[in-house]
């Protein structure tokens, strides 16, 4: 009979986990007596809530931070931190298997993965980093920290497990939860999400990943490299439907090299358990098939956490899919209540959640009028290669009637990428045609998440592509590809008339 991987047996209660839980939700914690009213009451202690609490407390405001579960939210506990830790371990195993590509001795035919050790490292790293989100550190900074269930009781009041609390301004930062696809039999058979996958103690021999978004792609590749036989099912024709098509195709090629079985334009239509095995029915056009798996990871997106808050009592408009409706200054339909992060934003990235919280603090407490639309926000999918983007895509510029010129440098033309045997990928920078104004960029490379920051800085500072051509980079580095794209732009400025004048000058 096949082991069940849908409900993990629980993360081992080792010293790392005991330390983490003591930092993010101490068992003996007692909620403080509320001071009335708080200048800012924050519901949710994920990246947005934590950022707002720290910023507001540093200004001297009376701040209440309310969390139902664990300080740090999804990012620290079941998102960015554990996933990137596991991805790093998986990449080490991938390089060991591919050692001959680097001129190293051929590795043993069977490299044994110690999954328990990989998960122990994950718990150690996560525990270490939770010290930055310690409840006691927050309290020492002047934040009143409450644990419990929150309900709004009026336009300027709420309760925490029935304890009343009043506020002058409030921020809702309750984040989002995994979206569970409506597939017959899935709940009965059992499944994993990002909230439970990092509690696994055994590696699933056969893993089905439903969904080709960032989370699904990252974990599909990581588990394949750790030894699972992974099948990824995506109902679209390519992964990462919002990214450049050639970027998604590069990732698809990488998946094929890793041995991931890819089913595009395919839907999972039913799940059932027969003879102790989990069977999943798949449909692609008129082709039907059934696969056997040991675990199913539902990675098809997230839904905002708006239920159970009694938002109607606070006159806050929302819907179940889009979350809390806010204006460009992140104010809700109740002028006293703001929202930030995944509970209200379409793009659900930690960096955007944190920056949106800073906007709220300045607007709510300091009378500011900062706007979300003014932000330049990069993001990255941490597969191998990574796919990073900032600004507009060409399709967005076309929809707005903005003429675009694109400069692309393949990574196989970059010396450092060649020395590292990482020639797959590219740097692609879009400018407004007739100028050097950078509209956006996509980078596909193992280090794309680091490289994209140079372009983000240029966009924030109003630096054009022409100026980037003057930036000297250490040699050899992959970021030289950015300068190469900038120099390609400069060459387009050499019109035939200008070239003729130069020729005449040099021929004197």
């Amino acid at each position: 009979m096949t082991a069940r991987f849908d409900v993990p047996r629980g993360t081992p209660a080792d010293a790392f986990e005991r330390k983490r839980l003591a930092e993010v939700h101490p068992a003996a914690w007692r909620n403080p007596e509320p001071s009335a009213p708080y200048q800012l009451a924050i519901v949710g202690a994920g990246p947005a809530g934590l950022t707002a609490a720290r910023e507001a407390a540093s200004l001297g405001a009376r701040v209440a931070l309310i969390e139902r579960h664990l300080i740090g939210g999804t990012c620290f506990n079941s998102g960015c931190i554990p996933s990137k830790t596991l991805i790093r371990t998986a990449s080490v195993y991938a390089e060991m298997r591919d050692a001959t590509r680097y001129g190293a001795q051929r590795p043993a035919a069977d490299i044994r993965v110690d999954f328990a050790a990989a998960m122990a490292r994950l718990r150690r790293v996560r525990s270490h980093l939770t010290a930055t989100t310690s409840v006691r550190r927050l309290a020492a900074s002047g934040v009143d920290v409450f644990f419990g269930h929150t309900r709004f009781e009026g336009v300027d009041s709420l309760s925490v497990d029935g304890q009343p609390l009043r506020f002058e301004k409030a921020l809702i930062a309750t984040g989002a939860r995994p979206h569970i696809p409506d597939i017959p039999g899935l709940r009965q058979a059992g499944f994993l999400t990002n909230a439970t996958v990092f509690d696994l103690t055994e590696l699933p021999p056969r893993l089905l990943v439903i969904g080709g978004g960032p989370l699904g792609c990252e974990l599909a590749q990581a588990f394949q490299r750790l030894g699972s036989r992974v099948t990824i099912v995506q109902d679209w024709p390519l992964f990462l439907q919002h990214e450049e098509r050639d970027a998604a195709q590069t990732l698809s090629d990488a998946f094929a090299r890793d041995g991931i079985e890819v089913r595009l334009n395919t839907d999972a239509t039913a799940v059932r358990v027969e003879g102790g095995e989990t069977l999943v029915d798949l449909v692609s056009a008129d082709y039907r098939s059934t696969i056997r798996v040991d675990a199913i990871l539902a990675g098809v997106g997230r839904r905002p956490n708006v239920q159970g808050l009694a938002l109607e009592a606070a006159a806050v408009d929302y819907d179940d899919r889009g979350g809390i409706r806010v204006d460009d200054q992140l104010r809700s339909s109740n002028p006293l209540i703001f929202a930030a992060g995944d509970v209200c934003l379409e793009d659900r990235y930690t960096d955007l959640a944190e920056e949106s919280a800073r906007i709220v603090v300045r607007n709510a407490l300091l009378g500011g009028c900062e706007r979300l639309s003014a932000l330049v926000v990069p993001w990255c999918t941490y597969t191998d290669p990574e796919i990073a983007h900032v600004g507009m895509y060409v399709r967005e510029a076309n929809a707005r009637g903005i003429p675009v010129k694109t400069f692309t440098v393949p990574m196989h033309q970059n010396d450092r990428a060649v020395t590292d045997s990482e020639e797959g990928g590219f740097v692609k920078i879009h400018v407004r045609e007739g100028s050097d104004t950078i509209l956006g960029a996509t980078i596909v490379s193992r280090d794309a998440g680091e490289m994209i920051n140079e372009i983000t800085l240029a966009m924030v500072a109003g630096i054009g592509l022409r100026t980037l051509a003057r930036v000297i980079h250490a040699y050899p580095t992959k970021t030289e590809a950015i300068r190469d794209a900038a120099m390609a732009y400069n060459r387009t400025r050499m019109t035939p008339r200008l070239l003729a004048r130069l020729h005449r000058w040099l021929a004197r």
Side-chain angles (χ1 to χ4, degrees), residues 399-477:
R400 300 184 192 183
I402 302 173
V404 177
K405 183 74 172 177
T406 299
F407 297 90
T408 303
V409 175
M411 293 309 292
H412 65 73
Q413 295 179 3
N414 176 268
D415 291 356
R416 182 56 183 269
V418 173
T419 64
D420 289 350
S421 293
E422 295 169 4
E423 298 98 324
F426 54 82
V427 168
K428 182 185 292 188
I429 303 177
H430 312 302
V431 299
R432 184 186 293 269
E433 192 166 5
S435 77
D436 72 339
T437 301
I438 301 173
L439 299 175
T442 294
I443 299 178
V444 180
S445 173
R446 174 168 287 194
D447 306 300
E450 302 291 341
M451 297 168 65
I452 199 70
N453 296 320
E454 179 174 335
I455 300 174
T456 305
L457 174 61
M459 293 177 68
V460 171
I463 297 171
L465 196 56
R466 178 182 177 184
T467 302
L468 284 185
R470 298 169 55 193
V471 177
I472 300 174
H473 293 72
Y475 177 86
T477 55

Side-chain angles (χ1 to χ4, degrees), residues 324-347:
I324 295 173
R325 299 188 181 98
V326 294
D327 61 18
D328 203 19
Q329 296 179 350
L330 296 171
R331 194 187 308 267
S332 75
S333 54
N334 179 342
L336 303 180
I337 299 177
F338 295 73
D342 293 2
V343 75
C344 65
L345 302 181
E346 180 180 359
D347 295 323

Side-chain angles (χ1 to χ4, degrees), residues 31-38 64 144 146 163-166:
N31 288 342
E33 287 296 323
S35 63
Y38 285 99
D144 281 0
F146 296 80
Q163 183 180 29
L165 186 153
R166 296 183 66 83

Side-chain angles (χ1 to χ4, degrees), residues 1 45 129 132 136 152 186 210 229 269 271 273 307 322 329 355 387 422 426 473 505 507:
M1 182 173 178
L129 291 178
T132 63
R136 293 178 178 84
F152 282 91
L186 177 64
I210 301 175
R229 296 199 304 276
T269 58
V271 181
V273 178
Q307 301 300 327
Q329 296 179 350
E355 197 57 37
I387 299 177
E422 295 169 4
F426 54 82
H473 293 72
W505 172 266

Side-chain angles (χ1 to χ4, degrees), residues 4-251:
R4 287 290 294 273
F5 288 89
D6 55 309
V7 181
R9 299 166 186 165
T11 303
D14 56 18
F16 303 128
E17 280 302 289
R18 290 193 295 271
K19 177 179 179 293
R20 180 174 75 97
L21 294 176
E23 297 277 10
V24 299
H25 194 158
W29 185 260
R30 296 292 180 266
N31 288 342
E33 287 296 323
S35 63
Y38 285 99
Q39 291 170 298
L40 185 64
I42 304 165
V43 183
L50 282 172
T51 298
R54 291 166 178 153
E55 295 276 328
S58 70
L59 297 173
R62 296 187 303 278
V63 181
L65 179 62
I66 307 158
E67 172 56 47
R68 182 180 62 178
H69 187 36
L70 301 176
I71 299 292
T74 297
C75 178
F76 271 91
N77 296 290
S78 57
C80 303
I81 297 304
S83 66
K84 303 312 170 282
T85 306
L86 196 64
I87 286 169
R88 183 67 184 96
T89 301
S91 69
V92 170
Y93 279 111
E95 290 184 353
M96 291 168 61
R97 297 187 187 98
D98 205 20
T100 55
R101 183 161 65 119
Y102 300 96
Q105 183 177 1
R106 181 176 297 277
D110 181 25
I111 296 176
R112 179 176 172 273
V113 174
D114 190 336
F115 187 71
M119 299 307 286
R121 175 178 179 267
L122 184 155
R123 295 192 298 274
R124 183 176 70 252
V125 170
R126 184 170 57 181
S127 175
H128 172 72
L129 291 178
T130 50
T132 63
T133 61
S134 165
V135 175
R136 293 178 178 84
R137 178 176 293 188
L138 286 166
S141 70
V143 178
D144 281 0
V145 181
F146 296 80
F147 286 101
H149 178 69
T150 303
R151 288 180 56 87
F152 282 91
E153 305 294 343
V155 295
D156 64 352
S157 62
L158 54 81
S159 62
V160 183
D161 285 347
Q163 183 180 29
L165 186 153
R166 296 183 66 83
F167 56 82
E168 296 177 5
K169 300 288 176 61
L171 167 62
I172 301 173
T174 47
R177 66 189 183 280
H179 170 59
I180 310 306
D182 187 18
I183 301 173
L186 177 64
R187 294 180 184 274
Q188 293 84 351
F191 59 91
L192 298 163
T193 68
N194 73 289
T196 57
V197 69
F198 300 113
D199 292 334
L200 285 173
T201 56
E202 298 178 28
L203 181 71
R206 300 167 298 183
L207 175 66
L208 172 66
V209 177
I210 301 175
L215 174 66
C217 287
E218 289 178 1
L219 292 183
Q221 189 177 49
F223 273 87
Q224 177 75 23
R225 290 177 163 190
L226 289 170
S228 294
R229 296 199 304 276
V230 175
T231 301
I232 184 168
V233 170
Q234 164 75 342
D235 56 359
W236 284 71
L238 278 177
F239 307 113
L240 303 175
Q241 63 193 54
H242 298 298
E243 296 294 349
E244 309 269 6
R245 292 301 83 202
D246 46 1
Q249 184 59 55
T250 301
L251 179 59

